[in-house]
Amino acid sequence: MVACVIPVKPFDLVLFGATGDLAQRKILPGLFQRFTVGQMPDQARIIGAARSALSGNAFRTALSASILKAIPDAVAGDITAFLEHVTYISIDARGERGWADLAKTLRKDVIRAFYLSVGPSLFAPIAARLKTSGMTTREARIVVEKPFGHDLNSAHALNAELGQCFSEGQIYRIDHYLGKETVQNLMALRFANALFEPLWNSQHIDHVQITVAESLGVKGRGEYYDKSGALRDMVQNHLMQLLCLTAMEPPSRFEPNAVRDEKLKVIRALDPVAPGDIVRGQYRAGNGDESYRDHAANPNSRSECFVAMKVQVSNWRWAGTPFYLRTGKKLRARMSEIAVVFRDPPHSIFPAMQNRRGNALIIRLQPDEGITLRMTIKDPGPGGMRLTEVPLDMTFAEALGSDVIVPDAYERLIMDVIRGDQTLFMRGDEVEAAWDWIDPIEQDWAESSAKPAPYDPGGSGPEDALMLMHRDARRWREIGG
Ligand code: BG6
């Protein structure tokens, strides 16, 4: 099966922070991939913008190396052809340099996207400058990376500042998890199949587990991370988005505001988290590895790099079905999944059913994207009616054929920006509602003298996180099992 590629309209994409890590590692290689599959039209232009005083050639030479690093089998001729679409302007975001050049470079009547891959303190100044320089045409749109604020007040202020320069329909707040193929597949699975939706409620679902585990620590980005912590860095955005897509009601149409309205309702239905329902952790030194505090270069750090929590969505569909969220650094494996665990049959006719774990639908985000349905069947052979559990397994790569290349989240999201499709981007009220729910947890932690629980690198997180499940007579799925 060959992926269908529909070319987008001509565009000017201005990438602020073009020499930065995210731009060189993800955004520009992502655009290159879209170019090679024919989605970028001939008239598309990418304008790298950053503070460094580089010539266009120097920028392109460095970019060529970054593309090869990100995509080792990239064809030299393709890179050369792609670089013909790329120019560079040295801009001082808070000063005068470069702005007049940028204004002259942009074409009229062509889609223009301003992608801000810069620190959040520059979002508002750049947006204001774009507006005062007359560059915010009707066809303009602005893309901002996370973090979008660090609490409700800062997110609200940022929304207001961006709102003075762009309408909500022009603002694209990125959460790259929404661009992941399997996250979109979650919507297809739920709303394009008649099979699951009748069971998708507290009557049939015992609980849901959402895990985003990483094997890497925070070495190299400890300074940023220590100010943020896992709750702000991962839960407020990625895990909450996964929770929303799992828990939301079917939107009436697959349209940006219809989908985002339903996600917002989920966030607003979340109960406050009781202090006993959340565990935070920090990896300690072990197995030859340094500790979180070493990596954060802060021997007294109380920031968490692991969070596990029990969350209740208070509405008719989910009352009585908890959602357990878990994320952490330096765990046994890199593994992201949503596990929907079904209730047992109301009456067991088989005595051997006592110890089974029950049906579960596991949606694997990474690695090895796919879906597994855990079923109970009869253990083959004589010896009575013994039961066993087997996975009904579908790996997307196998099911769709080896010629389907799953695009990186950024590729999908950037093309959506050009197409003007905001479905997979967070709306301003959604981001604020998420902070409104997160803020009391942060405040509790700030006022408490308790420290994050230590855990061993390469394990499954602190003991307390296991207890969070055990006390409810449930257990986490194995990380990397
Ligand atoms: C980022 C976080 O948003 O997502 C990082 O800031 C995290 O801390 C990353 O490592 C995880 O993304 P992915 O796509 O590798 O799961």
Side-chain angles (χ1 to χ4, degrees), residues 26 146 175-177 180 212 214 221 224-225 233-234 237-238 329 334 336 366 410:
K26 290 280 183 189
K146 70 180 259 279
D175 180 325
H176 78 278
Y177 264 59
K180 289 187 190 271
V212 177
E214 295 180 87
R221 60 196 290 255
Y224 152 77
Y225 199 87
D233 183 55
M234 298 294 289
N237 35 75
H238 307 327
K329 305 281 185 201
R334 178 171 188 253
S336 301
Q366 58 196 24
Y410 278 93

Side-chain angles (χ1 to χ4, degrees), residues 152-165:
L152 174 59
N153 284 341
S154 54
H156 185 70
L158 191 50
N159 272 333
E161 284 168 320
L162 293 182
Q164 283 171 9
C165 312

Side-chain angles (χ1 to χ4, degrees), residues 41 56 85 141-142 171-172 269 286 343 346 367 397 404 416 422 435 461:
H85 295 259
R141 47 211 73 171
I142 188 164
I171 304 174
Y172 291 71
R343 293 193 190 282
V404 170
D416 279 359
Q422 290 186 306
W435 281 123

